[in-house]
Amino acid sequence: MYDVSPPAILLALGLIDVFTGSLTTPIGAAPALTSLVPGTIACLALLFRRRYPLAVLSVILVMGLVPPLVIPTTLGYWDEFAVWLVALYSCARHRPLGWALVALAVSAVGMVMLPLEFAELRDAGSILFNSAMVAASFALGLLTRSWTSYRERSLRAAAERAVAEERAGRQERTRIARELHDVISHTITVIVMQAGGARLAASTDPTAAVTALARIEALGRESLTELRTLLEVLREEPDSPDGTAPQPTLADLDGLCAQMRGLGLPVRLRTEGETAALAPGIQLTGYRIVQEGLTNVLKHAGAVDTQVSVLATAGALTVEVECAPGGHGSSLGGTEHGLLGLRERVDAVGGTMSAGPHRDGGYLLRAELPVAERVS
């Protein structure tokens, strides 16, 4: 496409100047009409400045510098000199630095020839002003090219990062799907074996049967927690309200902590601030953070003292799960599969999350979620 606006504007200004002389002082002793043909050709050549900038600059310089050597003519400011500056800018903007320097050198030769052809341009002020205009046009072209190149690189890098993140997400979901298969296979295998042992021992050793059933129950609870976490990560829209089952909220944390106490985990819950009015997605995310943290404490640290803190302020919801050092190494992270799912959920609501050692060998899982969006 041709950008006709600059050539059309400069040609219009040049025509006004030729016929009225109201914009600039004429340069040269000949009638102003003598610049009409060279100026028109120069403006028309400017249409091709993006595709052939060096050729356009050459045509414009020829139209401005050669006719005065043959016949008396005037130099039009708008339709010749200003067009020259735009052409030089285009060379610096659209061509490699080497060719841009060639264009600058050709323009410098033209700047030397102008005072030789037109006596009005021989004073120091005119020479300095015109030289400064040429240098400014060249520098502006280089600056624009550098900025455009930087912006294109930034956009390309951002697109590449987005593709890499999407690919990493797909790979992580594939890995979680494999883990999901392993969890189901392992759980069902153990449950079947325990159930078979309980059936055989039911008539001869009821105590052993009850013990086996208790193991089945504990394994089932633990596996259900893991499966729910994995399934939520795999779902495309984990917080979608379209599901028929009610989603847990922060009000359900009391029941969750009571359930964990029943499994032998001494957990304390501290809640501050108004949480009932928080958006459902924020409440669900907070609940899942506590659920995953307590599950990992029980699995990896054992029955150790654990503190759950939920603080709701005007700008954020802060959720912390902190456990004391465990007998076999406390870690809220485990194999990090659960934390990867939590990070996805926290990132989806614009929050931040951290997990790591804390206080004398204990472990702290902490997340901060924005709460600007509230239920009306």
Side-chain angles (χ1 to χ4, degrees):
M1 293 182 62
Y2 301 109
D3 186 3
V4 300
S5 298
I9 293 173
L10 293 175
L11 179 59
L13 293 174
L15 292 175
I16 293 173
D17 216 12
V18 166
F19 289 105
T20 67
S22 60
L23 298 180
T24 60
T25 302
I27 301 175
L33 284 174
T34 57
S35 68
L36 182 60
V37 174
T40 301
I41 295 175
C43 289
L44 292 177
L46 202 60
L47 290 170
F48 304 93
R49 69 190 184 281
R50 292 184 178 178
R51 182 173 295 183
Y52 311 108
L54 286 173
V56 169
L57 178 64
S58 300
V59 171
I60 292 172
L61 288 178
V62 168
M63 290 296 100
L65 299 175
V66 173
L69 299 176
V70 180
I71 58 174
T73 61
T74 59
L75 177 68
Y77 181 83
W78 293 107
D79 55 359
E80 291 187 85
F81 185 70
V83 169
W84 177 0
L85 298 179
V86 174
L88 178 59
Y89 164 86
S90 299
C91 290
R93 166 70 178 82
H94 298 291
R95 283 294 175 264
L97 182 59
W99 287 110
L101 291 175
V102 171
L104 180 62
V106 172
S107 296
V109 173
M111 289 300 301
V112 173
M113 293 181 61
L114 278 179
L116 299 178
E117 296 180 354
F118 299 99
E120 294 87 348
L121 301 178
R122 293 172 186 172
D123 61 284
S126 296
I127 293 175
L128 290 176
F129 176 78
N130 293 332
S131 300
M133 293 294 291
V134 169
S137 299
F138 182 77
L140 183 60
L142 291 181
L143 180 62
T144 304
R145 184 182 63 180
S146 299
W147 167 250
T148 302
S149 177
Y150 168 76
R151 184 179 61 182
E152 290 175 352
R153 289 196 304 270
S154 299
L155 293 175
R156 185 165 53 251
E160 291 174 354
R161 284 196 301 270
V163 171
E165 290 173 0
E166 181 180 357
R167 185 184 301 114
R170 289 197 301 267
Q171 293 174 349
E172 182 59 28
R173 282 173 171 78
T174 301
R175 187 164 63 89
I176 292 175
R178 289 196 297 267
E179 183 189 357
L180 179 63
H181 173 270
D182 294 341
V183 169
I184 293 176
S185 300
H186 171 74
T187 300
I188 293 179
T189 299
V190 175
I191 287 178
V192 168
M193 295 178 62
Q194 293 288 335
R199 178 178 59 82
L200 293 176
S203 58
T204 58
D205 191 354
T207 302
V210 170
T211 302
L213 292 174
R215 290 173 181 170
I216 292 175
E217 180 184 10
L219 178 62
R221 290 179 182 274
E222 179 180 333
S223 299
L224 278 176
T225 301
E226 294 185 31
L227 293 176
R228 284 171 180 167
T229 301
L230 293 173
L231 289 174
E232 286 158 8
V233 173
L234 292 173
R235 284 191 304 184
E236 183 177 359
E237 296 180 358
D239 294 343
S240 174
D242 297 333
T244 57
Q247 297 285 3
T249 66
L250 295 176
D252 298 313
L253 288 180
D254 285 327
L256 176 63
C257 292
Q259 182 185 55
M260 289 298 177
R261 294 188 196 101
L263 296 176
L265 179 66
V267 55
R268 299 181 305 278
L269 174 63
R270 180 174 63 91
T271 303
E272 294 183 12
E274 179 58 41
T275 61
L278 298 180
I282 297 295
Q283 294 207 45
L284 177 60
T285 302
Y287 179 90
R288 295 306 186 197
I289 292 170
V290 175
Q291 183 184 48
E292 179 67 23
L294 293 180
T295 300
N296 282 332
V297 170
L298 188 62
K299 181 192 298 185
H300 301 290
V304 298
D305 290 335
T306 304
Q307 174 72 47
V308 175
S309 301
V310 179
L311 172 62
T313 63
L317 173 70
T318 303
V319 180
E320 294 183 351
V321 180
E322 180 182 2
C323 72
H328 51 282
S330 59
S331 171
L332 298 185
T335 58
E336 299 296 331
H337 297 307
L339 289 184
L340 287 173
L342 285 184
R343 289 189 189 280
E344 278 196 357
R345 184 183 291 277
V346 170
D347 290 343
V349 298
T352 58
M353 191 187 85
S354 62
H358 184 67
R359 291 186 185 174
D360 302 328
Y363 212 86
L364 174 66
L365 172 63
R366 187 178 190 276
E368 186 169 311
L369 314 175
V371 296
E373 180 184 356
R374 293 181 178 271
V375 176
S376 58

